[in-house]
Amino acid sequence: MAVYRDAKCKLCRREGAKLFLKGEKCYMEKCPFNKRPTPPGPTHPGRKKVSEYGLQLREKQKTKRIYGVQEGQFRKYYEMADRMKGITGENMLSLLERRLDNVVYRMGVGASRTQARQLVNHAHFTVNGRTVNVPSYIVKAGDVIAVKENRKNNKFFEQIKTMKVANMPKWLEFDPEKLEGKVLALPTREDVDSQIAEHMIVELYSK
């Protein structure tokens, strides 16, 4: 899998929006995007108007970067969503939200999706009592996600126990003291707080 190793703030500048890829730093005044929101590289005052295809492509790239998903896997989510009942774009966002790394991030255990992905990769979590170290694992309603018993005394997780849970999505619950959370329901479009125009991605893939 390709790994992006350049400054992540450049991705926000390229998409012209905060993607919140660096956790708390993204909420601070010193966030590079606040100082320089223009795309990286030389400026071109005479640049032509972006085409419809260009706008759709940028929306896809932005969404991929928010969730940290590569092209092949992203297209699979679209194909899965297209086979499901309901609106394809909303189904696709629901699948992305239900990724285990995103769920860990949404519960507040990881400061960013990148950190949450690393925690999952290192096998710190169980789903319904079974160890899962696959960030792309899709959770279901009723699933219980917990820190493994032998990892709960880790210094990192000890700090999590004392934190206050803020902005918890209504489809999730998390108990910091027990280091355990639960998927109460499947996420809906209203539960996705990122500014994503999913219909543009569907139009791009439908061509």
Side-chain angles (χ1 to χ4, degrees), residues 3-205:
V3 179
Y4 180 82
R5 299 190 183 279
D6 208 343
K8 291 185 178 180
C9 294
K10 284 187 177 181
L11 297 180
C12 297
R13 290 174 55 202
R14 179 65 187 89
E15 303 306 333
K18 280 195 176 187
L19 306 182
F20 299 97
L21 303 177
K22 300 200 72 174
E24 294 182 3
K25 184 178 180 181
C26 299
Y27 297 93
M28 299 179 179
E29 289 185 8
K30 65 179 181 180
C31 173
F33 183 81
N34 293 336
K35 298 178 181 178
R36 194 178 181 188
T38 55
T43 56
H44 300 282
R47 185 175 291 171
K48 295 181 180 180
K49 183 178 179 181
V50 181
S51 66
E52 181 182 3
Y53 171 80
L55 292 173
Q56 294 168 347
L57 181 62
R58 290 264 56 86
E59 199 65 28
K60 182 194 73 169
Q61 294 296 90
K62 180 179 74 174
T63 307
K64 283 168 51 182
R65 286 165 174 169
I66 288 174
Y67 289 98
V69 178
Q70 298 297 319
E71 176 61 33
Q73 195 171 33
F74 191 81
R75 187 174 187 94
K76 286 182 181 178
Y77 286 129
Y78 163 75
E79 292 172 350
M80 289 171 61
D82 194 39
R83 293 192 296 268
M84 296 165 61
K85 293 181 179 179
I87 302 173
T88 301
E90 294 184 5
N91 291 339
M92 181 177 63
L93 291 182
S94 178
L95 289 170
L96 289 167
E97 282 289 309
R98 288 163 54 196
R99 284 174 55 97
L100 182 57
D101 56 355
N102 182 74
V103 171
V104 170
Y105 165 69
R106 291 292 194 191
M107 291 192 303
V109 180
S112 64
R113 288 184 178 87
T114 301
Q115 186 183 53
R117 185 176 305 113
Q118 189 174 37
L119 291 171
V120 174
N121 272 326
H122 290 175
H124 287 299
F125 295 92
T126 62
V127 178
N128 299 328
R130 183 171 63 88
T131 300
V132 178
N133 63 351
V134 181
S136 60
Y137 179 89
I138 302 294
V139 302
K140 302 181 294 295
D143 282 353
V144 175
I145 296 92
V147 175
K148 293 174 69 172
E149 285 296 329
N150 61 349
R151 309 289 174 91
K152 288 185 177 181
N153 293 327
N154 181 290
K155 185 181 296 186
F156 175 83
F157 293 115
E158 285 289 346
Q159 295 176 343
I160 299 296
K161 291 179 182 179
T162 62
M163 77 174 191
K164 292 183 179 180
V165 181
N167 301 320
M168 178 68 60
K170 64 182 181 181
W171 58 282
L172 291 174
E173 69 176 9
F174 180 68
D175 187 336
E177 292 185 4
K178 294 182 179 179
L179 292 174
E180 181 178 293
K182 185 176 182 180
V183 182
L184 302 176
L186 298 184
T188 63
R189 181 63 185 88
E190 290 72 27
D191 298 317
V192 181
D193 54 5
S194 300
Q195 298 299 313
I196 298 173
E198 66 276 8
H199 68 279
M200 295 179 70
I201 303 173
V202 174
E203 290 169 2
L204 178 66
Y205 278 133

